[in-house]
Amino acid sequence: MKISLHVNSRPVEAEVEPRLLLVHFLRERLRLTGTHIGCDTSQCGACTVHLDGCAVKSCTLLAVQADGCEVITIEGLAPEGTLHPLQAAFQEHHALQCGFCTPGIVMVAHGLLGRDSAPGEAEIRAALEGNRCRCTGYQNIVDAIRCACERVREGT
Amino acid sequence: MSAGPPAAPVGARLPRLEDPRLVSGRGCFVDDLQLPGMLHLDILRSPHAHARIHAIDAAAARALPGVAAVYTGTGLAQFLRVLPSAGGMEGFNAPEHHALAIERVRFVGEGVAAVLATDRYVARDARELIRVSYEVLPAVADPEAALAPDAPLLHEALGTNRAFEMRIGSDVREALERAAHVVRGRFVNQRIVPNTMETRGAVAHFEPWDERLTVWLSTQAPHLMRREFARFLAFPEHRLRVIAPDVGGAFGAKNNPYAEELLAAALALKHRAPVKWIEERQEHMLVTSHARAQTVELHAGVREDGTLLALHYRLVADMGAYYHAITHIGPMMTAALMTGAYRIPYAATDIVSVFTNTTPTDPYRGFGRAEAAYFIERTMDLIARELGLDAVELRRRNLIRRDEFPFATPTGHVHESGDFQLCLERALERFDYEGARREQARLRATGRCIGIGLTTHAWRAGFPSVPGGKGYVISGWEKTSVSIDPGGTVRAVIGTSPHGQGIVTTTAQIVAGELRIAPRDVRIIHGDTDAVTQGNGTMGSRSLVVGGSATLLAARQLRDKAVRLAAHLLRVPAERVTLEAGVFSDCGDPARRVTLAAVAAHAFAGPQDLPEGLEPGLEATAFFEAPNFTSCFGTHACVVEVEPQTGEVRILRYVAVDDIGRAINPMIVEGQLHGGLAQGIGQALMEEASYDAAGQPLAASFLDYATPRATDLPRFEVELTETPSTVNPLGARGIGEAGTVAAPPAVVNAVLDALAPLGVRHLDMPLTPHKVWRAIREADA
């Protein structure tokens, strides 16, 4: 099937098998390998991307479902060579260790940032319910997200 | 080299140098690799715990367009050896383990057939077309049941399900007989799944022009894998290159040369094409090493005053269906550390290791030591309760005192140094133990179910070399080379293989500290056996303790040579040369200076103008092996609330005080503690790789295996003490496993303290709402 969509603001056209998962399309056809696969049951959230502004699990969508949509992946969050305030806060707060779950968590946090400019600890933890991290114990992730929200709110 | 380094890189909370790539999605994990002409490997797995394979029909799979080959165990046995393992030590029963099952499968998930295809979807299609005819056999998943005389035999050639038996420790019988009290118990440290967020994976590529095989592997020990892959493939080790790219967590589970990984390499050689294998999460749950799976029956002999006289364990250790790399070491480590942080004159463990129709077990963060800490810390609470003593007071009476080190235990471990009371007193103060007990009493009076639990744990890190069976050596040394090239680039080539521990940053901090430069100006090379000729990898909290010590020694050697060169260039004695901010100067005349970069350039300019006897170049290599494990210790205290209506446990407060010896980067140390605590709390409350009686796994995906989510965990209050270790030049102790060692007993002790008024004496992990609710109901009845 032929699909056309925007990925990280660039137009993309491709011929795909109907059963091709969006995550495989992004990783293997477009070589956007920052979106990871951590499970096969939509539990871990490592594959989270934005589809028309909503954080979605790209392992649970077919590529054809993204036809006509705007997809943003972790690679599209900030201009090449720069860090989005969220990404910078993750580094400052030691919010990643192995880094495998990180892109998905950053994308979820980015969605939260769009909805709530001053989330509290409980809201941040609840927003992360669909993501699993095995390294950090989440505390520094929570702190990084809170810090990034503050900075974005204050426009710094 | 940039000027203006921080005053002291060592001890700074420096943000990690690893992070910018990883936070922006520019890491490179194994599955990110795509090579031209690459074939995808997929494995058909046994749905039965124990069965005879009568026939495998792969005709339809082979006929599918895009399928390059289908292999079975019998076919592979014509050109492949048995899988490597250290489990064949003298006197041990060691079953043969093949890359794919031959004639018989012994656990659910064991590989039965392998498909190679041009595309991962086609490989999966082909896998589904393979028909296997099985004769299902009786299975045994419970290790105690496997010891029964009429239990189904896994390995008929061995004639028994016993893997090995061993006694570690002193004579205890007489001491137990004369003890005023003997406390008995039975504790299970349940089977769990490591669940790294990146599953395992391999890409293997044979380059015919120079006859070299390269394997990109999600591993924590590339050099160990190079050796074992070479042996398994009968391929010259010097033509084999193993690369650990970015690795998404390992926790001990990526330490074993696994069947699928070896198979990918073997088939890349055979087919002269790159082969990729990526583990699915469900496969991870079924075939990546499980962990823990130990049960003890204990007898603790206690004097009238509450001091321990003797401790005996009968330890049943579940090996799973086969040995993985170092499966057998777990129970031996547990036995060696059974006395924990306490002075117990007589102690012994009788180990019975058993094969069952389950996934093989192997290390997971805290291997052997987490089990030991859980057993002894639960034992201490049980004793306190039976003697009517406060849990803290009992520990105070039994802790090894700071003037007793080095302290040899009856089970052959020597605590090299420590200050157990320091952590205990700091934790009690921070936690406000007395206040917490008063608050508990107040809330209990209002009907709330509050518990307080603590541990005064002691474990060990940074192992020295240990003998292995069948040449499977486990070496304890580590190696670092530090160099400065003529252009001024500082490099450290390290033999550890970090995958989240922040070792790139801490290594840079150590080198920068010695050379007085900025950590960001130190380039760290790791994980590629072509660039790093030797090393032993990252495991057992050794990377900083052992590897960091090698780095320190190499950087010092390098600095000494650079100082000699600088003195030569400045025409002053070496004693007058100081080094600050990457510049050497004459302390008598600070205006006379030469940069480290200029010294490096000079070192390579040729032998004409070098001090007598000094070789050209600026490079130093150091090997370091510690004479003993480091002693690691701490005190954790937590408050939990149990909701009696649902059995749900909430952790209200968690305080961890651990001694790090010396913190190179306290931020990273705290992060290591946080992560370990999360895993430890996961084991205490949620995680279990359970099987039914027929050997069917009951938790084989994230749908039914619960690892902690952000909403499941409290904020951690972490504090570090620094009592230098005596067995390495850094003075570091290791922290990677503290959380998984300490959190399970701290949390379980707290929950059982909460349930104590109901008369609940013990519950085995995980303390799920259902288990707790049922215990409350039964206590009521």
Side-chain angles (χ1 to χ4, degrees), chain B residues 61-90:
Chain B
R62 288 197 175 97
L64 194 70
V67 172
V70 178
Y71 290 96
T72 63
T74 318
L76 288 178
Q78 291 163 16
F79 65 98
L80 285 185
R81 301 177 173 199
V82 295
L83 298 178
S85 159
M89 280 178 72
E90 198 67 35

PDB file of all heavy atoms in Angstrom, chain B residues 61-90:
ATOM      1  N   ALA B  61       8.082 -24.496   5.584  1.00  0.00           N
ATOM      2  CA  ALA B  61       8.881 -23.319   5.945  1.00  0.00           C
ATOM      3  C   ALA B  61       9.998 -23.114   4.935  1.00  0.00           C
ATOM      4  O   ALA B  61      10.257 -21.989   4.492  1.00  0.00           O
ATOM      5  CB  ALA B  61       9.456 -23.491   7.349  1.00  0.00           C
ATOM      6  N   ARG B  62      10.648 -24.208   4.573  1.00  0.00           N
ATOM      7  CA  ARG B  62      11.763 -24.097   3.623  1.00  0.00           C
ATOM      8  C   ARG B  62      11.278 -23.609   2.256  1.00  0.00           C
ATOM      9  O   ARG B  62      12.021 -22.953   1.537  1.00  0.00           O
ATOM     10  CB  ARG B  62      12.460 -25.458   3.465  1.00  0.00           C
ATOM     11  CG  ARG B  62      13.274 -25.856   4.687  1.00  0.00           C
ATOM     12  CD  ARG B  62      14.272 -26.981   4.380  1.00  0.00           C
ATOM     13  NE  ARG B  62      15.096 -27.240   5.548  1.00  0.00           N
ATOM     14  CZ  ARG B  62      14.869 -28.209   6.435  1.00  0.00           C
ATOM     15  NH1 ARG B  62      13.859 -29.047   6.265  1.00  0.00           N
ATOM     16  NH2 ARG B  62      15.657 -28.349   7.483  1.00  0.00           N
ATOM     17  N   ALA B  63      10.046 -23.930   1.926  1.00  0.00           N
ATOM     18  CA  ALA B  63       9.523 -23.582   0.598  1.00  0.00           C
ATOM     19  C   ALA B  63       9.073 -22.121   0.517  1.00  0.00           C
ATOM     20  O   ALA B  63       8.806 -21.618  -0.568  1.00  0.00           O
ATOM     21  CB  ALA B  63       8.352 -24.509   0.265  1.00  0.00           C
ATOM     22  N   LEU B  64       8.984 -21.465   1.652  1.00  0.00           N
ATOM     23  CA  LEU B  64       8.483 -20.088   1.645  1.00  0.00           C
ATOM     24  C   LEU B  64       9.516 -19.168   0.985  1.00  0.00           C
ATOM     25  O   LEU B  64      10.695 -19.189   1.345  1.00  0.00           O
ATOM     26  CB  LEU B  64       8.236 -19.642   3.087  1.00  0.00           C
ATOM     27  CG  LEU B  64       7.410 -18.379   3.275  1.00  0.00           C
ATOM     28  CD1 LEU B  64       5.951 -18.611   2.896  1.00  0.00           C
ATOM     29  CD2 LEU B  64       7.503 -17.909   4.720  1.00  0.00           C
ATOM     30  N   PRO B  65       9.078 -18.347   0.026  1.00  0.00           N
ATOM     31  CA  PRO B  65      10.033 -17.437  -0.613  1.00  0.00           C
ATOM     32  C   PRO B  65      10.684 -16.524   0.418  1.00  0.00           C
ATOM     33  O   PRO B  65      10.004 -15.993   1.303  1.00  0.00           O
ATOM     34  CB  PRO B  65       9.165 -16.627  -1.584  1.00  0.00           C
ATOM     35  CG  PRO B  65       7.966 -17.477  -1.837  1.00  0.00           C
ATOM     36  CD  PRO B  65       7.727 -18.242  -0.573  1.00  0.00           C
ATOM     37  N   GLY B  66      11.986 -16.368   0.320  1.00  0.00           N
ATOM     38  CA  GLY B  66      12.723 -15.529   1.262  1.00  0.00           C
ATOM     39  C   GLY B  66      13.397 -16.310   2.365  1.00  0.00           C
ATOM     40  O   GLY B  66      14.202 -15.760   3.113  1.00  0.00           O
ATOM     41  N   VAL B  67      13.068 -17.603   2.475  1.00  0.00           N
ATOM     42  CA  VAL B  67      13.694 -18.418   3.525  1.00  0.00           C
ATOM     43  C   VAL B  67      15.005 -18.996   2.996  1.00  0.00           C
ATOM     44  O   VAL B  67      15.032 -19.641   1.944  1.00  0.00           O
ATOM     45  CB  VAL B  67      12.750 -19.547   3.995  1.00  0.00           C
ATOM     46  CG1 VAL B  67      13.478 -20.509   4.929  1.00  0.00           C
ATOM     47  CG2 VAL B  67      11.546 -18.939   4.695  1.00  0.00           C
ATOM     48  N   ALA B  68      16.086 -18.738   3.723  1.00  0.00           N
ATOM     49  CA  ALA B  68      17.400 -19.217   3.283  1.00  0.00           C
ATOM     50  C   ALA B  68      17.673 -20.616   3.814  1.00  0.00           C
ATOM     51  O   ALA B  68      18.310 -21.432   3.137  1.00  0.00           O
ATOM     52  CB  ALA B  68      18.485 -18.262   3.754  1.00  0.00           C
ATOM     53  N   ALA B  69      17.216 -20.907   5.015  1.00  0.00           N
ATOM     54  CA  ALA B  69      17.486 -22.221   5.596  1.00  0.00           C
ATOM     55  C   ALA B  69      16.644 -22.416   6.847  1.00  0.00           C
ATOM     56  O   ALA B  69      16.229 -21.454   7.487  1.00  0.00           O
ATOM     57  CB  ALA B  69      18.959 -22.363   5.962  1.00  0.00           C
ATOM     58  N   VAL B  70      16.408 -23.682   7.155  1.00  0.00           N
ATOM     59  CA  VAL B  70      15.807 -24.046   8.440  1.00  0.00           C
ATOM     60  C   VAL B  70      16.694 -25.128   9.055  1.00  0.00           C
ATOM     61  O   VAL B  70      17.085 -26.073   8.369  1.00  0.00           O
ATOM     62  CB  VAL B  70      14.369 -24.586   8.267  1.00  0.00           C
ATOM     63  CG1 VAL B  70      13.788 -24.999   9.622  1.00  0.00           C
ATOM     64  CG2 VAL B  70      13.477 -23.542   7.603  1.00  0.00           C
ATOM     65  N   TYR B  71      17.049 -24.950  10.325  1.00  0.00           N
ATOM     66  CA  TYR B  71      17.905 -25.922  11.001  1.00  0.00           C
ATOM     67  C   TYR B  71      17.174 -26.531  12.186  1.00  0.00           C
ATOM     68  O   TYR B  71      16.345 -25.878  12.821  1.00  0.00           O
ATOM     69  CB  TYR B  71      19.176 -25.238  11.520  1.00  0.00           C
ATOM     70  CG  TYR B  71      20.120 -24.801  10.429  1.00  0.00           C
ATOM     71  CD1 TYR B  71      20.093 -23.493   9.955  1.00  0.00           C
ATOM     72  CD2 TYR B  71      21.027 -25.701   9.865  1.00  0.00           C
ATOM     73  CE1 TYR B  71      20.954 -23.084   8.951  1.00  0.00           C
ATOM     74  CE2 TYR B  71      21.892 -25.298   8.858  1.00  0.00           C
ATOM     75  CZ  TYR B  71      21.846 -23.991   8.408  1.00  0.00           C
ATOM     76  OH  TYR B  71      22.693 -23.600   7.413  1.00  0.00           O
ATOM     77  N   THR B  72      17.542 -27.771  12.495  1.00  0.00           N
ATOM     78  CA  THR B  72      17.073 -28.419  13.724  1.00  0.00           C
ATOM     79  C   THR B  72      18.304 -28.785  14.551  1.00  0.00           C
ATOM     80  O   THR B  72      19.437 -28.686  14.066  1.00  0.00           O
ATOM     81  CB  THR B  72      16.309 -29.708  13.405  1.00  0.00           C
ATOM     82  OG1 THR B  72      17.216 -30.621  12.763  1.00  0.00           O
ATOM     83  CG2 THR B  72      15.119 -29.436  12.489  1.00  0.00           C
ATOM     84  N   GLY B  73      18.061 -29.200  15.777  1.00  0.00           N
ATOM     85  CA  GLY B  73      19.170 -29.544  16.658  1.00  0.00           C
ATOM     86  C   GLY B  73      20.040 -30.648  16.090  1.00  0.00           C
ATOM     87  O   GLY B  73      21.276 -30.587  16.153  1.00  0.00           O
ATOM     88  N   THR B  74      19.414 -31.648  15.514  1.00  0.00           N
ATOM     89  CA  THR B  74      20.173 -32.777  14.958  1.00  0.00           C
ATOM     90  C   THR B  74      21.045 -32.294  13.800  1.00  0.00           C
ATOM     91  O   THR B  74      22.204 -32.701  13.672  1.00  0.00           O
ATOM     92  CB  THR B  74      19.199 -33.868  14.460  1.00  0.00           C
ATOM     93  OG1 THR B  74      18.169 -33.999  15.441  1.00  0.00           O
ATOM     94  CG2 THR B  74      19.895 -35.185  14.281  1.00  0.00           C
ATOM     95  N   GLY B  75      20.489 -31.419  12.983  1.00  0.00           N
ATOM     96  CA  GLY B  75      21.258 -30.893  11.855  1.00  0.00           C
ATOM     97  C   GLY B  75      22.449 -30.062  12.319  1.00  0.00           C
ATOM     98  O   GLY B  75      23.557 -30.184  11.795  1.00  0.00           O
ATOM     99  N   LEU B  76      22.218 -29.244  13.327  1.00  0.00           N
ATOM    100  CA  LEU B  76      23.299 -28.385  13.822  1.00  0.00           C
ATOM    101  C   LEU B  76      24.409 -29.185  14.471  1.00  0.00           C
ATOM    102  O   LEU B  76      25.584 -28.821  14.399  1.00  0.00           O
ATOM    103  CB  LEU B  76      22.754 -27.398  14.866  1.00  0.00           C
ATOM    104  CG  LEU B  76      21.878 -26.252  14.383  1.00  0.00           C
ATOM    105  CD1 LEU B  76      21.417 -25.430  15.583  1.00  0.00           C
ATOM    106  CD2 LEU B  76      22.633 -25.356  13.405  1.00  0.00           C
ATOM    107  N   ALA B  77      24.021 -30.295  15.123  1.00  0.00           N
ATOM    108  CA  ALA B  77      25.010 -31.090  15.862  1.00  0.00           C
ATOM    109  C   ALA B  77      26.085 -31.638  14.927  1.00  0.00           C
ATOM    110  O   ALA B  77      27.172 -32.011  15.380  1.00  0.00           O
ATOM    111  CB  ALA B  77      24.315 -32.221  16.608  1.00  0.00           C
ATOM    112  N   GLN B  78      25.791 -31.664  13.633  1.00  0.00           N
ATOM    113  CA  GLN B  78      26.804 -32.150  12.694  1.00  0.00           C
ATOM    114  C   GLN B  78      27.960 -31.168  12.542  1.00  0.00           C
ATOM    115  O   GLN B  78      29.035 -31.548  12.098  1.00  0.00           O
ATOM    116  CB  GLN B  78      26.153 -32.440  11.338  1.00  0.00           C
ATOM    117  CG  GLN B  78      25.224 -33.649  11.411  1.00  0.00           C
ATOM    118  CD  GLN B  78      24.264 -33.718  10.244  1.00  0.00           C
ATOM    119  OE1 GLN B  78      24.462 -33.061   9.230  1.00  0.00           O
ATOM    120  NE2 GLN B  78      23.219 -34.498  10.399  1.00  0.00           N
ATOM    121  N   PHE B  79      27.739 -29.910  12.877  1.00  0.00           N
ATOM    122  CA  PHE B  79      28.861 -28.966  12.744  1.00  0.00           C
ATOM    123  C   PHE B  79      29.048 -28.027  13.934  1.00  0.00           C
ATOM    124  O   PHE B  79      29.903 -27.165  13.922  1.00  0.00           O
ATOM    125  CB  PHE B  79      28.750 -28.178  11.425  1.00  0.00           C
ATOM    126  CG  PHE B  79      27.553 -27.261  11.314  1.00  0.00           C
ATOM    127  CD1 PHE B  79      27.667 -25.906  11.589  1.00  0.00           C
ATOM    128  CD2 PHE B  79      26.316 -27.761  10.913  1.00  0.00           C
ATOM    129  CE1 PHE B  79      26.573 -25.059  11.475  1.00  0.00           C
ATOM    130  CE2 PHE B  79      25.217 -26.914  10.800  1.00  0.00           C
ATOM    131  CZ  PHE B  79      25.347 -25.566  11.079  1.00  0.00           C
ATOM    132  N   LEU B  80      28.251 -28.205  14.992  1.00  0.00           N
ATOM    133  CA  LEU B  80      28.407 -27.322  16.148  1.00  0.00           C
ATOM    134  C   LEU B  80      28.705 -28.104  17.419  1.00  0.00           C
ATOM    135  O   LEU B  80      28.271 -29.244  17.583  1.00  0.00           O
ATOM    136  CB  LEU B  80      27.126 -26.507  16.372  1.00  0.00           C
ATOM    137  CG  LEU B  80      26.859 -25.351  15.406  1.00  0.00           C
ATOM    138  CD1 LEU B  80      25.622 -24.594  15.848  1.00  0.00           C
ATOM    139  CD2 LEU B  80      28.050 -24.400  15.326  1.00  0.00           C
ATOM    140  N   ARG B  81      29.423 -27.467  18.324  1.00  0.00           N
ATOM    141  CA  ARG B  81      29.749 -28.078  19.615  1.00  0.00           C
ATOM    142  C   ARG B  81      28.628 -27.817  20.631  1.00  0.00           C
ATOM    143  O   ARG B  81      27.685 -27.094  20.352  1.00  0.00           O
ATOM    144  CB  ARG B  81      31.038 -27.464  20.144  1.00  0.00           C
ATOM    145  CG  ARG B  81      32.200 -27.667  19.202  1.00  0.00           C
ATOM    146  CD  ARG B  81      33.426 -26.983  19.737  1.00  0.00           C
ATOM    147  NE  ARG B  81      34.556 -27.352  18.873  1.00  0.00           N
ATOM    148  CZ  ARG B  81      35.819 -27.248  19.219  1.00  0.00           C
ATOM    149  NH1 ARG B  81      36.153 -26.775  20.398  1.00  0.00           N
ATOM    150  NH2 ARG B  81      36.775 -27.606  18.381  1.00  0.00           N
ATOM    151  N   VAL B  82      28.813 -28.342  21.826  1.00  0.00           N
ATOM    152  CA  VAL B  82      27.852 -28.063  22.903  1.00  0.00           C
ATOM    153  C   VAL B  82      28.112 -26.650  23.417  1.00  0.00           C
ATOM    154  O   VAL B  82      29.188 -26.081  23.223  1.00  0.00           O
ATOM    155  CB  VAL B  82      27.947 -29.075  24.064  1.00  0.00           C
ATOM    156  CG1 VAL B  82      27.561 -30.456  23.586  1.00  0.00           C
ATOM    157  CG2 VAL B  82      29.326 -29.055  24.681  1.00  0.00           C
ATOM    158  N   LEU B  83      27.122 -26.077  24.093  1.00  0.00           N
ATOM    159  CA  LEU B  83      27.238 -24.700  24.586  1.00  0.00           C
ATOM    160  C   LEU B  83      28.233 -24.621  25.739  1.00  0.00           C
ATOM    161  O   LEU B  83      28.337 -25.543  26.543  1.00  0.00           O
ATOM    162  CB  LEU B  83      25.867 -24.200  25.069  1.00  0.00           C
ATOM    163  CG  LEU B  83      24.774 -24.128  24.009  1.00  0.00           C
ATOM    164  CD1 LEU B  83      23.474 -23.661  24.643  1.00  0.00           C
ATOM    165  CD2 LEU B  83      25.179 -23.176  22.884  1.00  0.00           C
ATOM    166  N   PRO B  84      28.959 -23.504  25.810  1.00  0.00           N
ATOM    167  CA  PRO B  84      29.928 -23.349  26.890  1.00  0.00           C
ATOM    168  C   PRO B  84      29.257 -23.037  28.230  1.00  0.00           C
ATOM    169  O   PRO B  84      28.194 -22.436  28.269  1.00  0.00           O
ATOM    170  CB  PRO B  84      30.768 -22.149  26.435  1.00  0.00           C
ATOM    171  CG  PRO B  84      29.961 -21.428  25.423  1.00  0.00           C
ATOM    172  CD  PRO B  84      28.938 -22.367  24.877  1.00  0.00           C
ATOM    173  N   SER B  85      29.899 -23.465  29.303  1.00  0.00           N
ATOM    174  CA  SER B  85      29.432 -23.161  30.649  1.00  0.00           C
ATOM    175  C   SER B  85      30.529 -23.508  31.622  1.00  0.00           C
ATOM    176  O   SER B  85      31.374 -24.353  31.349  1.00  0.00           O
ATOM    177  CB  SER B  85      28.185 -23.985  30.985  1.00  0.00           C
ATOM    178  OG  SER B  85      28.019 -24.063  32.376  1.00  0.00           O
ATOM    179  N   ALA B  86      30.516 -22.845  32.765  1.00  0.00           N
ATOM    180  CA  ALA B  86      31.476 -23.176  33.814  1.00  0.00           C
ATOM    181  C   ALA B  86      30.930 -24.265  34.707  1.00  0.00           C
ATOM    182  O   ALA B  86      31.570 -24.676  35.654  1.00  0.00           O
ATOM    183  CB  ALA B  86      31.782 -21.935  34.636  1.00  0.00           C
ATOM    184  N   GLY B  87      29.731 -24.744  34.419  1.00  0.00           N
ATOM    185  CA  GLY B  87      29.039 -25.650  35.327  1.00  0.00           C
ATOM    186  C   GLY B  87      29.619 -27.043  35.419  1.00  0.00           C
ATOM    187  O   GLY B  87      29.087 -27.878  36.131  1.00  0.00           O
ATOM    188  N   GLY B  88      30.688 -27.269  34.716  1.00  0.00           N
ATOM    189  CA  GLY B  88      31.260 -28.613  34.769  1.00  0.00           C
ATOM    190  C   GLY B  88      32.392 -28.738  35.746  1.00  0.00           C
ATOM    191  O   GLY B  88      33.373 -29.421  35.480  1.00  0.00           O
ATOM    192  N   MET B  89      32.312 -28.085  36.896  1.00  0.00           N
ATOM    193  CA  MET B  89      33.388 -28.191  37.879  1.00  0.00           C
ATOM    194  C   MET B  89      33.514 -29.619  38.379  1.00  0.00           C
ATOM    195  O   MET B  89      32.583 -30.411  38.303  1.00  0.00           O
ATOM    196  CB  MET B  89      33.131 -27.245  39.054  1.00  0.00           C
ATOM    197  CG  MET B  89      33.519 -25.806  38.741  1.00  0.00           C
ATOM    198  SD  MET B  89      33.169 -24.686  40.089  1.00  0.00           S
ATOM    199  CE  MET B  89      34.443 -25.159  41.262  1.00  0.00           C
ATOM    200  N   GLU B  90      34.661 -29.897  38.919  1.00  0.00           N
ATOM    201  CA  GLU B  90      34.979 -31.227  39.437  1.00  0.00           C
ATOM    202  C   GLU B  90      33.856 -31.732  40.355  1.00  0.00           C
ATOM    203  O   GLU B  90      33.450 -31.041  41.278  1.00  0.00           O
ATOM    204  CB  GLU B  90      36.289 -31.131  40.228  1.00  0.00           C
ATOM    205  CG  GLU B  90      36.987 -32.449  40.475  1.00  0.00           C
ATOM    206  CD  GLU B  90      37.521 -33.078  39.196  1.00  0.00           C
ATOM    207  OE1 GLU B  90      37.961 -32.331  38.286  1.00  0.00           O
ATOM    208  OE2 GLU B  90      37.465 -34.314  39.117  1.00  0.00           O
TER     209      GLU B  90
END
